[in-house]
Amino acid sequence: MLSSDLLKEAERVMTICNACRYCEGYCAVYPAMELRRTFADKDLKYLANLCHNCRACYYACQYAPPHEFDVNVARVFADLRLECYREFARPALLAGMFRRNGLAVGILTAAALVTVFLLLGIFQDSPVIFAAHSGANAFYRVIPYPLFILPFSVLVVCLSAVLLWSNISFWRKTGGKLGELLDPRANLQAIGDALRLKYLDGGGHGCNYPDERFSMLRRYFHHLVFYGFILCLASTTVAAAYHHFLQWPAPYPYLSWPVLLGTAGGLALLAGTAGLLILKKKMDPLPGAPRARGMDVGFLVLLFFTSFSGLLLLALRATPAMGILLAVHLAVVAALFVAMPYGKFVHALYRFVALVRNARERSRQ
Ligand code: SF4
Ligand code: SF4
């Protein structure tokens, strides 16, 4: 369905829902909908990103297919979110990454692996790559520190700039002024909602995922992915501080903060991504967007292999396999960073911005 058709369909179902209002207690979308009599494109894009596809309204709806009204809010909003990801991708030239995203992420990962191994083969001797290294700077004997830090610093700066650019574009094009995005009270409220995954608890019994039955599994696995990711970030930050401020280079002992945080984060990511992939395989496709499946799976698989390769590197870092595992892990992390603004990761940012707008609307009531 083309974007304009999708917007018309979203407007149609929201108009029916606004007359019905049966689902007003399910999530933040329906109370936000009730504040409006008509639905401009910017309102629909905001509401679509406020929806987290819990599917409660689909299974509860007396007008859902096969009823002639054909109301399927969960699917229309899932499709519209995908359109938003394309529309607000920056630079716009790269918006095509959202088409067949799973394939694009796969090609990107393969390209990162080939590049890292080519560079390793050109600039490092085989005996060094395949030797067992131990003690301080063991990793940097295989890949020198500047080759480690420079590309990743550039990647992190570009990644942050691109994500900020996309997010600000989304906020402005959905009717917000830049200063309002910094509203401290609304941000605090949104952070609280996001950290608790408030709307995935379905009022205490979970969402209707992967099928009609209520379940908290999606919320638990989502928490594992989210906090696992945060712990891995914390591990990298502490390691960087040790290296630069304490002149203490990696690798670190098993009972050190970088390793403890990274291990906990890696295990949480493994369990969370595996759990979400299993649920996705079992999910009822009708209230979802089939076109988004490749993107969802691609991102989860990439996250899974990022944590798997990191944990394997930790376990085998004193063996001759370390050089190859280090190269694989760096390539997968680089692919993850490059793919972040052009894949499922962006849902977290747009949803957060939608929660900020929602907090502002609620405080004005
Ligand atoms: S999804 Fe169906 S039941 Fe829920 S508010 Fe809309 S029309 Fe009513
Ligand atoms: S799918 Fe869930 S979050 Fe989305 S509109 Fe329906 S009830 Fe709300």
Side-chain angles (χ1 to χ4, degrees), residues 187-306:
N187 271 278
L188 273 180
Q189 175 73 51
I191 289 170
D193 291 347
L195 289 181
R196 286 178 293 144
L197 289 179
K198 180 178 168 188
Y199 296 108
L200 276 181
D201 81 347
H205 36 258
C207 44
N208 301 96
Y209 192 94
D211 54 30
E212 192 170 353
R213 287 168 294 181
F214 289 98
S215 166
M216 294 292 267
L217 278 179
R218 184 178 177 217
R219 185 172 186 236
Y220 295 152
F221 288 136
H222 203 298
H223 267 314
L224 284 172
V225 171
F226 179 79
Y227 287 105
F229 189 77
I230 298 289
L231 285 172
C232 289
L233 273 186
S235 162
T236 309
T237 309
V238 174
Y242 280 3
H243 187 100
H244 291 285
F245 301 121
L246 303 181
Q247 278 73 50
W248 183 14
Y252 300 105
Y254 287 115
L255 290 179
S256 62
W257 280 112
V259 174
L260 290 172
L261 290 168
T263 306
L267 290 173
L269 267 178
L270 273 188
T273 50
L276 287 176
L277 281 167
I278 291 168
L279 291 184
K280 199 158 279 297
K281 195 164 166 36
K282 294 181 180 174
M283 78 174 183
D284 178 356
L286 290 177
R291 292 184 304 155
R293 195 181 177 91
M295 176 181 74
D296 297 353
V297 171
F299 181 64
L300 287 171
V301 169
L302 193 51
L303 266 183
F304 181 91
F305 277 108
T306 304

Side-chain angles (χ1 to χ4, degrees), residues 16-17 20-23 30 57 61-63 71:
I16 295 172
C17 291
C20 167
R21 300 192 172 190
Y22 178 79
C23 298
Y30 289 93
C57 63
C61 183
Q62 60 272 40
Y63 305 124
V71 173

Side-chain angles (χ1 to χ4, degrees), residues 14 16 35 42 47-48 56 78 111 140 151 163 169 185 195 199 204 221 231 281 285 291 303 318 349-350:
M14 278 293 96
I16 295 172
L35 297 176
K42 64 183 172 63
L47 293 173
Y140 310 131
L163 289 175
S169 303
R185 191 175 293 182
L195 289 181
Y199 296 108
F221 288 136
L231 285 172
K281 195 164 166 36
R291 292 184 304 155
L303 266 183
L349 301 177
Y350 296 145

Side-chain angles (χ1 to χ4, degrees), residues 23 26-30 50-58 73-74 77 81:
C23 298
Y26 286 156
C27 66
V29 171
Y30 289 93
L50 198 56
C51 165
H52 51 270
N53 199 242
C54 78
R55 298 154 174 239
C57 63
Y58 172 76
V73 179
F77 278 173
R81 278 194 297 280

